């Protein structure tokens, strides 16, 4: 398995954990605008973190 793939999978695992935490936080907030921003941020992590992991993975795990 390549370093890029390992990094992307690690990013996906972190994104899933971050999604759960941000959704729980959005449930505790009173302002609708803040809830919306937290939900958008939680969803965007599924794209951004695996992408960052894809590029950082070879530096951390080697190629």
């Amino acid at each position: 398995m390549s370093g890029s793939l390992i990094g992307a999978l690690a990013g996906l695992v972190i994104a899933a954990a971050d999604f759960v935490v941000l959704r729980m936080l959005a449930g505790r907030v009173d302002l609708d605008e803040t809830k919306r921003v937290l939900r958008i941020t939680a969803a965007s992590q599924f794209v951004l973190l695996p992408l960052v992991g894809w590029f950082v993975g070879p530096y951390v795990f080697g190629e």
Side-chain angles (χ1 to χ4, degrees):
M1 193 180 299
S2 71
S4 296
L5 188 57
I6 292 171
L9 289 174
L12 188 62
V13 169
I14 293 170
D18 192 36
F19 179 81
V20 170
V21 170
L22 286 173
R23 292 295 292 212
M24 286 181 2
L25 181 62
R28 296 178 55 102
V29 173
D30 293 331
L31 296 174
D32 289 332
E33 296 86 11
T34 307
K35 286 182 182 184
R36 193 178 102 240
V37 169
L38 286 172
R39 288 182 182 138
I40 291 170
T41 303
S44 69
Q45 297 301 321
F46 277 110
V47 174
L48 295 176
L49 289 178
L51 187 63
V52 170
W54 180 266
F55 290 109
V56 173
Y59 294 112
V60 175
F61 300 110
E63 190 64 26

